[in-house]
Amino acid sequence: MDKLPTFHPEFGRFMLEATPGKPWGIGFQDLLNVEPNMKWRRLIAKDHMAANEYPITFTTFPLLGTKGVFTSPYFPPGGDKLRSQFVPDEVANPHIRFPTLAANIRSRRGRKVEINVPVFRDVNTPWPFHDATVDYDLHRYPEDEDVRNGAAKENCIYMDAMVFGMGSCCLQITFQAKNINEGRRLYDQLSPLGPIMLALTAATPLYKGYIADTDVRWNQISASVDDRTAEELGQKPLKNDRWRIPKSRYASNSTYISQDPTLRDEYFDPDLVVDENIKRRLMEGGMDELLATHFAHLFIRDPIVVFNEDLKSLDLDKTDHFENLQSTNWQHMRFKPPPHDKDTGWRVEFRPMEIQMTDFENAAFSIFLVLITRAILSFDLNFYVPITKVSENMETAHARNAVLKKKFYFRKQPLPTRPRHSKHSPSSSFIVNGNNYTTNGTTTAHTSGTSTPHHLPPSRPPSPLGPVEDEYELMTIDEIINGQQPPTSSSTSAAAETSFPGLIPLVETYLNSINIEVETRCELARYLDLIRRRASGDLCTAATWIRSFVRDHADYKGDSVVSEDICYDLIKAVERITKGEDEPGLAEKLLGGFGRR
């Protein structure tokens, strides 16, 4: 019998983190067990709920923080921990860690957190827009001055507490590497994929009873835990603090850490802030410069929760203090060293994806990402772009319908350009997306062909040549996922040589190169088809579906307001879709028949 799933508390009292009871193995059957396991977790959760409750996988509750009743039982807004004018302290998990996090972040920054999300401007939205839920005459706490000092921005939905960010649900995947080198490599190669997967899983268009003009949660969480002082933000000259810090502690990655020879200096952030004293001590202790830089950057932050018992004595056989800082640096990738008391190895956590409504969707994105890691390691893929472009892409991913309307910086040629050792033949060929790629010592060209694919030599030249700007370009999500179409006139043209093959074609090429049962391959194809159709626009994202549901509702006034009746009908529709009970047409644009058996 499979080991029971495990459940963990999260910041929101209304949230539940669910994980498989044990890590998945490396077999393809394990991948096919992901969706049934997710369904099992939902059933277990439901068994512990009241008859009128149901566990939905939804990024944010649309009415959290609105005027009126949005909790059961009702609690009035306010409380000494969050000091919010919109939500009660009771919405936060009562475990001492969570309210202490919120209070310490507020204390360190010297005011409440400030979250402003652009509002969606519809035909009847008052303009300029001023958040009608904000009370400018509240005088309970010193921080109530924030709104009178301009914290609530024009044309934005304003929120003032950690729960508006950390109360968001998401889909995170942790990969076990065979050793530290593989872990570092996966960390780097998955980093540029973060913004792409964030946009592709977009599911967060509603906040505090309003329609937002963004599609994802990331920046809202970033602002909800932003503990930077005015000096660190650059709002005041440095006097008491050590650095101006350009990002919140919840942000996109700022470092690459692999010792891959194709990692160029131009990929690094030239303005990276590090604690040079910590970096020097780490290197003196034997850590290489890349990894020392990574941790010295994370450790520019103060710890925001420390338990008293951890300060009584320093146990060098434990890693509690390290994990305290590591776990409160919430970047879109996390490099996780082995814990001191377990035989778990080096791991990499992929954190940007939004939670989807159905188990089929969540399984599809999970399986897709696993297969990408297999392709990366099997084909020695290289997705490096400058880390500053990854940060730009994370911002781009927030745009409304970014999956169709925006372009992202992405590497043009991910394939290795020559064999590793002389024992390999001078060139090798394989098929990706209907094109025959030939690797050699200079370029990678492709022509139409049908030869049998095989694994590539697992290394590349020690240092790429040419301007780094020539290595990447702006691409649509469709091009990144499904591949660019090369010119038909000449297969040797510069454009043909650099057409991006597509992530799904790369994954399919990997699957073609191994022994896999036909039935298993067909099952995996269903998941890949969902990703393919979301990227092409044939199916819409959850964010687009949710926004359309609200705007098409009979009670919607075209004013960007999500009423209680609209929210109720939306949540009930999500419940029906989750159960597979959706009436014809309800989720057709979202799922297209996927997820129903």
Side-chain angles (χ1 to χ4, degrees):
M1 181 178 178
D2 290 339
K3 189 174 181 181
L4 282 170
T6 56
F7 296 87
H8 311 272
E10 259 295 350
F11 184 88
R13 202 167 185 170
F14 48 88
M15 301 167 69
L16 196 60
E17 178 182 323
T19 60
K22 63 178 181 179
W24 298 110
I26 62 174
F28 287 102
Q29 187 56 48
D30 286 88
L31 296 182
L32 299 184
N33 288 336
V34 170
E35 184 183 354
N37 188 271
M38 289 179 170
K39 292 180 181 294
W40 190 21
R41 296 176 223 172
R42 199 186 296 267
L43 288 173
I44 293 173
K46 171 57 185 167
D47 286 344
H48 290 77
M49 293 180 177
N52 64 343
E53 295 175 334
Y54 188 79
I56 62 170
T57 43
F58 211 61
T59 317
T60 60
F61 181 62
L63 298 187
L64 180 68
T66 56
K67 291 184 179 296
V69 179
F70 55 85
T71 64
S72 179
Y74 171 76
F75 296 97
D80 192 54
K81 296 298 183 182
L82 300 183
R83 298 193 179 184
S84 171
Q85 64 166 272
F86 305 115
V87 295
D89 278 0
E90 284 80 3
V91 299
N93 192 296
H95 187 284
I96 189 63
R97 171 181 169 83
F98 298 109
T100 303
L101 270 172
N104 287 356
I105 288 172
R106 187 184 66 250
S107 174
R108 189 184 187 282
R109 63 182 273 125
R111 59 205 184 285
K112 289 192 289 188
V113 294
E114 183 179 308
I115 310 166
N116 284 282
V117 184
V119 71
F120 172 70
R121 186 178 184 179
D122 214 335
V123 291
N124 295 323
T125 305
W127 211 260
F129 173 86
H130 297 279
D131 190 335
T133 65
V134 178
D135 186 349
Y136 290 90
D137 296 320
L138 202 61
H139 296 274
R140 287 182 299 190
Y141 302 105
E143 293 89 350
D144 291 334
E145 289 293 324
D146 290 357
V147 293
R148 291 184 282 276
N149 292 331
K153 307 303 182 187
E154 189 175 79
N155 300 329
C156 288
I157 307 161
Y158 170 69
M159 293 164 282
D160 66 350
M162 187 173 171
V163 71
F164 288 108
M166 284 299 194
S168 303
C169 297
C170 63
L171 176 65
Q172 297 174 344
I173 305 176
T174 298
F175 298 97
Q176 173 77 61
K178 67 180 181 181
N179 54 41
I180 184 174
N181 291 331
E182 185 176 277
R184 293 170 72 165
R185 180 142 179 262
L186 285 176
Y187 177 93
D188 280 14
Q189 295 305 323
L190 290 175
S191 287
L193 302 185
I196 311 307
M197 299 307 294
L198 176 62
L200 195 57
T201 57
T204 319
L206 308 180
Y207 276 101
K208 214 179 65 167
Y210 291 112
I211 306 177
D213 202 35
T214 57
D215 269 8
V216 300
R217 78 201 188 285
W218 191 266
N219 281 350
Q220 286 71 268
I221 309 179
S222 177
S224 78
V225 295
D226 192 353
D227 67 338
R228 289 175 295 172
T229 67
E231 292 181 17
E232 290 169 337
L233 285 164
Q235 298 170 346
K236 294 180 179 180
L238 286 175
K239 182 180 178 181
N240 300 311
D241 294 308
R242 302 171 65 187
W243 305 284
R244 182 184 178 278
I245 304 177
K247 293 181 180 179
S248 165
R249 63 196 303 147
Y250 195 113
S252 59
N253 288 6
S254 295
T255 58
Y256 287 127
I257 61 174
S258 177
Q259 294 176 306
D260 193 311
T262 62
L263 177 56
R264 299 175 61 167
D265 289 343
E266 294 95 327
Y267 300 153
F268 295 107
D269 183 352
D271 301 315
L272 184 70
V273 181
V274 300
D275 188 319
E276 293 294 346
N277 291 329
I278 289 178
K279 179 179 176 180
R280 185 185 67 254
R281 291 188 64 185
L282 290 173
M283 293 181 68
E284 289 172 352
M287 187 177 288
D288 63 84
E289 185 175 6
L290 279 175
L291 210 53
T293 299
H294 171 75
F295 288 116
H297 168 66
L298 297 184
F299 287 8
I300 64 173
R301 313 285 180 177
D302 284 343
I304 47 178
V305 173
V306 180
F307 293 101
N308 286 331
E309 52 268 29
D310 290 335
L311 297 177
K312 293 179 180 178
S313 61
L314 180 61
D315 188 343
L316 295 179
D317 292 327
K318 294 184 178 181
T319 57
D320 293 354
H321 291 295
F322 167 78
E323 291 296 344
N324 187 18
L325 278 168
Q326 162 96 336
S327 64
T328 54
N329 271 275
W330 296 281
Q331 298 189 342
H332 83 270
M333 295 290 303
R334 181 175 285 160
F335 182 64
K336 305 175 77 167
H340 73 280
D341 56 349
K342 298 179 182 177
D343 60 359
T344 308
W346 298 88
R347 292 155 297 151
V348 173
E349 184 179 18
F350 190 84
R351 301 171 45 80
M353 292 192 292
E354 309 244 291
I355 196 75
Q356 306 295 291
M357 289 182 246
T358 68
D359 299 310
F360 176 80
E361 295 168 277
N362 289 315
F365 283 108
S366 302
I367 291 167
F368 176 54
L369 202 65
V370 171
L371 293 175
I372 288 176
T373 64
R374 306 273 179 91
I376 288 171
L377 297 176
S378 295
F379 292 163
D380 202 26
L381 300 179
N382 176 6
F383 294 127
Y384 277 127
V385 295
I387 198 71
T388 55
K389 295 302 180 185
V390 177
S391 296
E392 285 187 49
N393 285 346
M394 287 293 283
E395 293 301 315
T396 301
H398 285 73
R400 179 161 43 93
N401 208 14
V403 70
L404 296 182
K405 295 184 177 180
K406 295 295 181 179
K407 291 188 175 184
F408 297 77
Y409 293 104
F410 210 75
R411 190 177 185 88
K412 293 186 286 188
Q413 182 49 266
L415 299 161
T417 56
R418 76 174 187 187
R420 176 169 57 177
H421 301 302
S422 58
K423 68 179 181 180
H424 292 289
S425 61
S427 64
S428 57
S429 300
F430 62 103
I431 301 297
V432 180
N433 207 16
N435 299 296
N436 183 31
Y437 284 78
T438 302
T439 63
N440 52 52
T442 54
T443 61
T444 301
H446 56 263
T447 59
S448 296
T450 56
S451 64
T452 303
H454 61 273
H455 288 291
L456 297 175
S459 73
R460 309 180 208 93
S463 59
L465 303 176
V468 71
E469 292 80 9
D470 291 345
E471 296 179 352
Y472 58 88
E473 66 181 13
L474 287 168
M475 300 184 198
T476 64
I477 295 285
D478 186 28
E479 290 173 327
I480 294 169
I481 297 296
N482 295 320
Q484 294 176 320
Q485 294 301 317
T488 57
S489 58
S490 173
S491 63
T492 59
S493 67
E497 292 175 356
T498 57
S499 295
F500 185 72
L503 296 179
I504 285 183
L506 286 167
V507 164
E508 289 176 330
T509 301
Y510 162 72
L511 292 173
N512 288 340
S513 70
I514 58 177
N515 292 322
I516 181 171
E517 294 180 356
V518 173
E519 184 178 352
T520 301
R521 180 67 186 271
C522 290
E523 287 292 311
L524 294 176
R526 294 177 62 248
Y527 296 115
L528 295 179
D529 282 346
L530 176 75
I531 311 297
R532 191 194 323 272
R533 295 178 65 184
R534 285 273 172 92
S536 70
D538 186 39
L539 296 177
C540 69
T541 63
T544 295
W545 185 89
I546 293 166
R547 183 180 282 106
S548 296
F549 184 96
V550 173
R551 298 184 71 203
D552 292 341
H553 195 280
D555 287 351
Y556 182 63
K557 304 297 191 295
D559 54 0
S560 307
V561 174
V562 183
S563 69
E564 187 172 335
D565 286 344
I566 295 173
C567 181
Y568 178 84
D569 289 345
L570 171 63
I571 299 303
K572 292 300 290 184
V574 172
E575 180 185 356
R576 293 197 302 275
I577 291 171
T578 302
K579 292 178 175 179
E581 300 172 353
D582 54 303
E583 58 265 24
L586 177 61
E588 193 64 30
K589 293 181 180 179
L590 178 72
L591 296 173
F594 287 114
R596 292 198 298 266
R597 293 285 189 168

